[in-house]
Amino acid sequence: MPRKTYAELRREVAQRYPTGQTAGGVSVDDIVQLRLQNSWESHLEIAREMSVVMRADMAAYDQDASKFTQSLGCWSGFHAQQMIKAVKRMRGTAKGTYVYLSGWMVAGLRNRWGHLPDQSMHEKTAVADLIQEIYTSLRQADEVALNDLFRALKSAQTEEARDAAIAAIDGFETHVVPIIADIDAGFGNEHATYLLAKELIKAGACCLQIENQVSDAKQCGHQDGKVTVPREDFIEKLRACRLAFEELGVDQGVIVARTDSLGAGLTQKVPVSARPGDLASHYNKWLKVEPISDANPIREGELALYQGGEFVRPLRLPNGLFPFREGTGRARVIEDCVANLTEGGADLLWIETDTPNVDEIAGMVAEIRKAVPNAKLTYNNSPSFNWTLNLRKQVREEWLAAGRIKASDYPDGNELMKADFDATDLGREADQRLQRFQTDISARAGVFHNLITLPTFHLTAKSVDELSRGYFGEEKMLAYVKTVQREEIRRGVSAVRHQHEVGSDLGDTFKEMVSGERALKAGGHANTMNQFAAE
């Protein structure tokens, strides 16, 4: 809903307190400031508003594929806050930027049981807690920024300066953006999925991403041993998410249906087919089976299927799981996606791939769009890919096929990763393709949203390693100043004024509101933060 302007809100409050203050001496101007700084009554209201934002972005992408959206996976509210601040400094707006909440990073970094793999072993409450934390941090960024704008208004000496300050307040763009929240495989059955979905939505999530793996056998999308559920089971979980959105009044809520079938060769259940051509029959047709005959009879405790006019035995592993036929992953992905959109009511697709290949994904999307012309994807630009090696191999193969190079010009295999090839024609071509990868995949493969699942995990590891090597090595304090503080100052990173970043000026303002001249403030002349210029 549209925000009230400074003038509208001040007029409304002044009608209640025509003397300019409450009976207890609270100023009308202070009430207006705090009202504008507190834009949402609850995080559920954020979910409702951000779902509208995301739907508008999806409609814009349908008209122009260059208008794709992006996010980075953030494992703390501070990471999300700094990401949005960086985008706003660079672009002047955060529109088209989201936050991705990765289940991998919740498992690895945000649970009480230590660092765990991405197998849904962490407390599911940690996911809702992180959404809540992210929005608390983004809202605090709003409060800090608006407080600075109100300080400019209070110090304005001319009508022109006052008008400019009010215009800046009215034109302020929030740091709050949509969150795509990873709910894994739902952490249980469809009812457990529904209950968890409600908690994530109440915490602020306008978009839920759910995958078609078996909950109690869930694996990271880039590991082996993945087990999928029958399509009917997954559709029931999609419905559970939709009911959670509808119950809470988030009627524009977005559901991302992820399929892991490209790399999943197993299923836990053989669904019951009620008639030829239903979801179960299409799922079962890909099972690895063998004919039943006098020479290979059915035995006690075994399962038989009637397919193509004969009885066959689906292979069964010692753990009770059923394997699919090799090479069927692509076909299963396409069928999954069509069913998720047409029968499950999903809004976006997620195809988990094993390499970053635009042609491969575009080919699958072209098949899906034969059934659903406006099918759109969220794509994981995953750190699990060796991007340098993959793209260099792709360029090498294409140039060999085109006769542009000889096999001896560039090595095959991992040696191609070496820094020796960074400045070569092939290295530069691969880097150019990396630079335009998201643009290409959005134009050619229907990718509405590009994300990186674990960037802040890897960035933290690299940055701490870089600082530690210098600080505990020869450079000592120079390492910190050179790698951190100078860069913060020169890039205009507001966190260099760390007390201001976490709200010390907010505290001073509030003390002034209630104590006036008696306020004991932190921001006086002796505050060392004054050594840094304001953002």
Side-chain angles (χ1 to χ4, degrees):
M1 128 181 137
R3 301 280 181 262
K4 291 179 180 176
T5 65
Y6 171 85
E8 290 170 340
L9 191 52
R10 196 182 191 290
R11 189 162 49 247
E12 180 183 301
V13 178
Q15 285 176 351
R16 294 177 59 210
Y17 304 111
T19 64
Q21 63 181 28
T22 70
V26 174
S27 165
V28 163
D29 290 327
D30 293 341
I31 294 172
V32 171
Q33 176 174 347
L34 293 180
R35 287 272 189 89
L36 285 171
Q37 285 176 191
N38 185 31
S39 300
W40 286 275
E41 293 181 4
S42 70
H43 285 194
L44 179 56
E45 187 183 353
I46 290 177
R48 292 178 183 134
E49 288 201 26
M50 291 303 106
S51 68
V52 174
V53 169
M54 196 166 174
R55 292 282 180 176
D57 288 344
M58 291 162 66
Y61 173 80
D62 284 339
Q63 299 301 313
D64 181 355
S66 70
K67 295 182 178 178
F68 61 89
T69 55
Q70 296 171 286
S71 67
L72 295 174
C74 297
W75 57 272
S76 76
F78 185 70
H79 283 101
Q81 182 195 87
Q82 295 303 304
M83 179 189 77
I84 299 302
K85 284 193 168 196
V87 173
K88 287 188 75 174
R89 276 196 306 274
M90 177 181 64
R91 297 178 177 173
T93 179
K95 288 181 172 61
T97 305
Y98 302 165
V99 174
Y100 180 67
L101 187 152
S102 161
W104 193 106
M105 287 202 287
V106 173
L109 300 166
R110 294 295 307 228
N111 71 86
R112 296 174 60 189
W113 299 344
H115 304 301
L116 294 174
D118 184 21
Q119 296 173 347
S120 289
M121 294 190 293
H122 56 282
E123 317 98 310
K124 56 188 176 183
T125 53
V127 185
D129 289 346
L130 180 52
I131 298 170
Q132 184 83 22
E133 178 186 311
I134 289 171
Y135 277 133
T136 298
S137 292
L138 295 180
R139 293 180 71 182
Q140 186 181 20
D142 281 1
E143 292 173 9
V144 170
L146 281 165
N147 183 61
D148 290 344
L149 295 177
F150 271 96
R151 284 185 168 226
L153 174 61
K154 288 175 183 177
S155 64
Q157 300 296 311
T158 65
E159 195 65 29
E160 183 180 9
R162 180 177 171 80
D163 290 344
I166 292 173
I169 291 168
D170 288 342
F172 175 75
E173 181 189 295
T174 180
H175 293 83
V176 170
V177 299
I179 285 179
I180 298 177
D182 183 0
I183 196 172
D184 279 11
F187 286 83
N189 63 17
E190 62 277 8
H191 191 227
T193 300
Y194 155 77
L195 293 172
L196 179 56
K198 285 208 299 182
E199 294 306 308
L200 303 193
I201 296 163
K202 285 189 284 187
C206 70
C207 178
L208 301 176
Q209 170 225 318
I210 187 166
E211 62 203 53
N212 69 337
Q213 291 192 52
V214 175
S215 254
D216 60 1
K218 185 258 189 307
Q219 295 277 16
C220 172
H222 295 279
Q223 290 185 311
D224 204 357
K226 291 188 292 183
V227 185
T228 62
V229 297
R231 293 184 182 120
E232 302 98 310
D233 292 24
F234 189 56
I235 286 169
E236 288 166 3
K237 290 190 175 185
L238 294 176
R239 290 173 182 161
C241 292
R242 182 61 65 201
L243 281 170
F245 274 127
E246 292 290 341
E247 177 182 344
L248 296 173
V250 187
D251 52 11
Q252 296 295 304
V254 178
I255 299 173
V256 180
R258 169 176 145 179
T259 174
D260 283 82
S261 292
L262 195 63
L266 301 168
T267 186
Q268 193 177 54
K269 290 165 56 176
V270 175
V272 176
S273 176
R275 61 189 179 279
D278 64 8
L279 289 174
S281 68
H282 280 300
Y283 189 77
N284 291 340
K285 73 186 178 188
W286 303 115
L287 291 170
K288 184 180 285 189
V289 299
E290 58 184 14
I292 298 170
S293 64
D294 292 340
N296 187 24
I298 192 82
R299 292 185 293 272
E300 182 77 19
E302 290 187 333
L303 180 71
L305 290 175
Y306 190 69
Q307 286 185 344
E310 62 178 356
F311 283 101
V312 294
R313 177 194 295 110
L315 272 64
R316 199 172 193 180
L317 303 180
N319 56 16
L321 299 175
F322 299 90
F324 291 108
R325 300 200 312 270
E326 290 82 1
T328 63
R330 184 180 186 277
R332 285 184 282 122
V333 162
I334 293 165
E335 290 183 359
D336 288 346
C337 290
V338 172
N340 293 340
L341 292 171
T342 59
E343 304 205 31
D347 303 293
L348 295 168
L349 301 170
W350 174 316
I351 300 173
E352 195 74 315
T353 64
D354 55 358
T355 60
N357 189 304
V358 177
D359 291 335
E360 177 190 36
I361 300 158
M364 287 187 283
V365 171
E367 293 295 314
I368 295 163
R369 283 184 163 177
K370 290 178 182 178
V372 187
N374 69 335
K376 293 181 284 295
L377 272 67
T378 291
Y379 186 70
N380 177 11
N381 294 256
S382 175
S384 295
F385 304 146
N386 185 329
W387 285 84
T388 301
L389 188 59
N390 271 292
L391 271 291
R392 287 181 180 181
K393 282 184 173 181
Q394 289 175 27
V395 174
R396 182 180 183 275
E397 289 172 9
E398 289 179 21
W399 285 4
L400 279 171
R404 184 170 171 178
I405 59 172
K406 303 187 295 293
S408 58
D409 290 340
Y410 294 98
D412 190 13
N414 292 348
E415 195 177 350
L416 201 56
M417 179 72 194
K418 288 183 177 179
D420 301 355
F421 301 103
D422 289 358
T424 64
D425 289 344
L426 185 141
R428 284 190 291 266
E429 173 64 20
D431 282 354
Q432 288 170 12
R433 294 189 186 192
L434 275 170
Q435 187 173 359
R436 64 175 189 264
F437 182 86
Q438 292 187 345
T439 302
D440 288 347
I441 206 169
S442 296
R444 295 178 48 205
V447 173
F448 158 73
H449 186 74
N450 277 285
L451 63 91
I452 307 177
T453 42
L454 318 176
T456 49
F457 172 89
H458 292 283
L459 178 66
T460 302
K462 172 188 172 293
S463 298
V464 172
D465 177 78
E466 183 179 9
L467 175 58
S468 299
R469 287 162 64 92
Y471 181 75
F472 295 102
E474 297 297 321
E475 292 186 323
K476 302 298 187 291
M477 270 310 295
L478 175 61
Y480 172 75
V481 173
K482 183 175 68 174
T483 64
V484 181
Q485 192 178 78
R486 280 181 193 163
E487 289 299 308
E488 285 181 307
I489 294 169
R490 290 169 180 173
R491 295 184 190 187
V493 177
S494 58
V496 72
R497 301 168 68 224
H498 46 259
Q499 302 288 13
H500 174 270
E501 193 78 349
V502 297
S504 65
D505 284 3
L506 275 176
D508 281 358
T509 295
F510 187 79
K511 290 172 186 175
E512 289 174 342
M513 289 177 178
V514 298
S515 302
E517 293 181 357
R518 296 181 64 249
L520 179 63
K521 296 184 289 185
H525 71 277
N527 191 322
T528 57
M529 189 171 67
N530 296 331
Q531 297 173 44
F532 303 99
E535 181 182 9

